Amino acid sequence: MNPLLEIRNLSFSYEGSKSLVFEALDLSVREGEFLLVKGPSGSGKSTLLRLICRLNPPLGGTILFQGSDITAIAPARLRRSLCYVAQIPQMIDASVEENLLLPFSFAANSSKSPPSREELRAMLRKFYLEEVEPAQSAMKLSVGQKQRLAIMRALLQDPLLLLLDEPTSALDQESAAMVFSIMERLNIEEGKTLITVTHADYKPVKKRPLNYMLDNRRLNLLP
Amino acid sequence: MNRIIDISLAQLFLALLFILIAQISSFIYHLGLNRDITIGTIRTFAQLFLMGYVLTFILKSSNLWLVLLVFFVMVLSAMFIVKGRVREKQIPYFIPTFLTMLISYFATALFVSGVIVGTAPWWDPRYFLPAGGMVIGNSMSALAIALERLFRDLREQRELVEMKLALGANYREASDELFRKAVSAGMIPSINAMMGVGLVFIPGMMSGQILAGTDPLIAIRYQIVVMLMLVGSTAVTSVVVMLIVRRRCFGSGEEVLLR
C-alpha cells in the first residue's frame, strides 16, 4: 500500500534566519495511522504541520500526498483533503452552527451537502459538547469547547488526514482527556489518519499511537 | 461681477497670520507640530508658485507631450505620497499601484475633458490637468487608506485567514471580508463628501469658479461632474489596486506572506 503522506529530504528555515529547523527530514504515513509528534519547544513541531498543508513553503525537499507532489495540487483542494487545526482555535463572530458550516461556503466544498441541525447536534454530543446549542454564539465558548468545535469543523469535510497542532495545550486535564479520547475514537472507529503535535503526556486507552520525537532537525520513531 | 480682485504679495503674507496662530497653539499645548507646520507652509508656497509658473507655461505652449509629462509627474508624486503613508516593506505594491493609477486617472481625465466637457483638443490643459489633479488628489488618499487597512488587517487577523485557508478556502474567500472593509474604508470619505456638498461646504473648484466670476449655475454643473468623477475613479482605482495587491499578499501555495 502506498503511503498517504510521504516527506522526503525536507529542509526549512525561518525567513531571515540561517539556522535550519529541519534538515533531510523524512516521514512516511500510511492510511489509518495515528502519529504523535513530540519535541522540545521551538523544535518546529507546529511548523512541520504548516509545511504539510502549505501554510509555509519549505526550503527544500518534497512532500507527497497520495503520491502527488503537494505543490502540484490546487491549495484549496489539498487543504480540503488534509485538514489542519491550529493550536489556538479560531472562530468567526457568528453562531456555533455558522462556524461549523463555514467550510461549506467555500467553492472547494460546494459539491458537498452540509449536515442538518439534527446531525450537528448528534455530532456535538460525540464531541462532549451536548450543552452547546447550534444557535448560540461561538465566541462565548470556553477555549476547550472551541478546540473541540474546531476539530469537529475540520472533520465535517471528511478529510483523509487530520493535522492537529497542540490540541490540548490550553486545556485543563479533563478537557485534554476528552480531546485525546476523541482522537483515539476517530482513529479506531472511523479509521481517520491523524498527525498530532503535542507536549502533553497521553496515556492511550485502546491503541498506542506511533510516537515520534522531533529532535536535532529530524524525526525519530520512538520504540 | 467679472472683475477678479488680485491678491498682492503683502496681502498674501498677511494670510500667514493663520499659520502664526497654528504655531502658537502647537507651542503652548506642546503638540510637537511646529516643524511640520513650518515645512508644510514653505512647501505650500513653493509648490503652488511652481505649479503656477508651470501652468502658465503649459497654457501658452499648448503642447500635448508637455501636458502628458506634467500629468505623469503628478501621478508619480501621488504614488510617492501613498508609499510614504503606507510604509509597507514586505509586499511589492509600488509598480502595480502606480500603473493602475496612471491608466485609471488618465481615462477619467480624458473622459471628463474630452467627452463630458467636450474640449477640443481633448487634452486642453485648462480642463485636462485640473480634472486629473482633482482625481489624483482625491483617489490618492482613498488608496493610501485602503492599502494601509488591508496590510494592517491581514497582519492582525492572519490566524483567522489561515483558519479559513486550512478549511479549504481559496485566498479570495479567506480574505473577502478584509478586502471589502479596506475598499470601503477608502471610499467612505468620497461618499461622505457627496452627502455634505452644498450643505456643509462649498467645494474648492466651485468656489474658485465663482470667485473668478462664473455663473454659480454653471459652476454647480462642473462641480456635479467633479463629484461623480471622484467617486467613480476612486472606486475603480481602489478595487483594481486592492485586487492586485491582495494577490501579492499570498504566495504560490495561497499562504499568507505578511509577517
Side-chain angles (χ1 to χ4, degrees):
Chain A
M1 193 170 69
N2 283 332
L4 181 65
L5 179 82
E6 200 172 2
I7 299 177
R8 292 179 193 158
N9 205 22
L10 189 72
S11 60
F12 178 79
S13 72
Y14 293 110
E15 214 177 288
S17 161
K18 281 182 185 164
S19 60
L20 288 172
V21 180
F22 307 133
E23 190 177 13
L25 182 145
D26 293 317
L27 177 70
S28 183
V29 182
R30 292 184 186 282
E31 226 175 304
E33 282 183 342
F34 178 12
L35 275 71
L36 272 188
V37 177
K38 298 194 166 198
S41 288
S43 59
K45 301 187 295 296
S46 302
T47 307
L48 179 67
L49 298 188
R50 292 174 62 87
L51 291 181
I52 296 172
C53 66
R54 295 188 76 186
L55 285 178
N56 284 105
L59 197 64
T62 316
I63 302 177
L64 303 171
F65 181 66
Q66 294 186 299
S68 303
D69 190 326
I70 57 166
T71 57
I73 307 171
R77 202 161 64 82
L78 174 80
R79 293 179 188 133
R80 186 190 60 187
S81 309
L82 47 85
C83 247
Y84 165 77
V85 181
Q87 183 175 358
I88 301 164
Q90 298 291 325
M91 296 288 141
I92 54 168
D93 189 3
S95 70
V96 168
E97 185 172 24
E98 282 168 281
N99 267 282
L100 289 171
L101 300 184
L102 179 68
F104 296 93
S105 66
F106 304 140
N109 292 314
S110 58
S111 59
K112 294 179 184 170
S113 51
S116 66
R117 190 170 265 201
E118 273 323 297
E119 285 170 313
L120 286 183
R121 273 191 220 277
M123 213 164 164
L124 284 167
R125 280 195 292 277
K126 271 190 175 178
F127 277 74
Y128 309 107
L129 290 166
E130 47 276 273
E131 72 282 12
V132 172
E133 268 300 309
Q136 80 179 81
S137 166
M139 305 309 274
K140 291 187 177 148
L141 301 179
S142 70
V143 183
Q145 288 173 318
K146 282 183 187 168
Q147 191 60 268
R148 278 172 276 157
L149 208 63
I151 299 173
M152 183 176 153
R153 178 172 58 191
L155 273 170
L156 281 172
Q157 298 187 81
D158 199 19
L160 296 167
L161 174 61
L162 202 56
L163 308 166
L164 303 178
D165 188 0
E166 299 274 12
T168 60
S169 65
L171 309 186
D172 55 40
Q173 263 191 331
E174 194 188 351
S175 299
M178 281 181 195
V179 170
F180 276 121
S181 146
I182 289 167
M183 287 193 285
E184 205 172 87
R185 212 172 53 208
L186 287 172
N187 179 248
I188 297 169
E189 293 173 16
E190 299 183 27
K192 291 283 174 208
T193 314
L194 283 101
I195 304 179
T196 302
V197 152
T198 184
H199 261 105
D201 276 330
Y202 162 55
K203 293 181 185 67
V205 182
K206 291 181 182 164
K207 181 182 168 184
R208 191 172 172 274
L210 295 164
N211 286 291
Y212 279 87
M213 177 60 80
L214 186 55
D215 202 12
N216 222 359
R217 301 188 286 275
R218 286 183 200 184
L219 272 175
N220 303 303
L221 182 61
L222 297 175
Chain B
M1 176 154 181
N2 283 329
R3 198 177 68 87
I4 304 168
I5 304 167
D6 191 13
I7 298 181
S8 69
L9 273 182
Q11 288 167 307
L12 194 60
F13 280 104
L14 199 59
L16 283 174
L17 270 177
F18 291 114
I19 296 302
L20 189 65
I21 294 167
Q23 293 280 33
I24 292 170
S25 309
S26 171
F27 183 75
I28 292 174
Y29 294 105
H30 306 287
L31 303 179
L33 295 173
N34 293 84
R35 190 171 165 271
D36 285 349
I37 294 172
T38 307
I39 293 173
T41 309
I42 294 169
R43 282 185 66 158
T44 302
F45 269 80
Q47 286 163 197
L48 287 180
F49 265 99
L50 183 69
M51 180 55 109
Y53 285 117
V54 169
L55 280 178
T56 309
F57 176 71
I58 292 166
L59 291 176
K60 274 186 189 159
S61 72
S62 244
N63 181 322
L64 164 68
W65 298 109
L66 203 56
V67 172
L68 291 182
L69 178 70
V70 171
F71 183 80
F72 182 86
V73 171
M74 282 161 72
V75 179
L76 191 63
S77 311
M79 185 60 228
F80 276 106
I81 292 172
V82 170
K83 187 171 176 264
R85 280 168 58 177
V86 176
R87 293 169 194 270
E88 171 57 42
K89 298 265 189 299
Q90 213 189 335
I91 305 296
Y93 67 95
F94 189 95
I95 290 174
T97 306
F98 176 62
L99 289 179
T100 311
M101 285 165 86
L102 201 60
I103 295 168
S104 155
Y105 300 162
F106 178 80
T108 312
L110 173 69
F111 184 71
V112 170
S113 72
V115 179
I116 297 181
V117 182
T119 60
W122 58 265
W123 48 269
D124 183 344
R126 280 199 310 137
Y127 292 87
F128 186 78
L129 289 181
M134 281 185 280
V135 169
I136 295 166
N138 195 74
S139 178
M140 169 186 85
S141 305
L143 266 182
I145 293 171
L147 281 168
E148 200 267 332
R149 176 80 184 251
L150 180 76
F151 292 134
R152 191 193 66 203
D153 283 1
L154 197 46
R155 277 203 173 89
E156 282 177 5
Q157 296 176 39
R158 194 185 144 171
E159 278 132 352
L160 197 66
V161 172
E162 287 189 336
M163 175 272 280
K164 292 178 185 173
L165 290 171
L167 288 170
N170 58 41
Y171 81 91
R172 286 183 299 275
E173 292 165 327
S175 59
D176 183 48
E177 203 180 330
L178 308 186
F179 173 82
R180 273 188 282 117
K181 280 186 179 165
V183 173
S184 48
M187 288 288 301
I188 282 168
S190 304
I191 296 168
N192 283 348
M194 282 208 299
M195 306 292 181
V197 70
L199 285 176
V200 185
F201 65 98
I202 302 174
M205 191 200 74
M206 193 173 143
S207 314
Q209 279 186 314
I210 294 169
L211 284 172
T214 307
D215 180 348
L217 289 176
I218 295 174
I220 58 154
R221 291 187 190 191
Y222 272 91
Q223 193 57 50
I224 290 170
V225 170
V226 166
M227 300 302 286
L228 304 183
M229 160 184 93
L230 294 185
V231 173
S233 66
T234 303
V236 170
T237 318
S238 302
V239 169
V240 174
V241 167
M242 299 308 271
L243 284 174
I244 299 171
V245 173
R246 175 175 69 165
R247 182 64 191 97
R248 292 192 161 209
C249 294
F250 291 85
S252 59
E254 300 197 6
E255 76 278 16
V256 184
L257 293 178
L258 280 173
R259 292 284 177 271

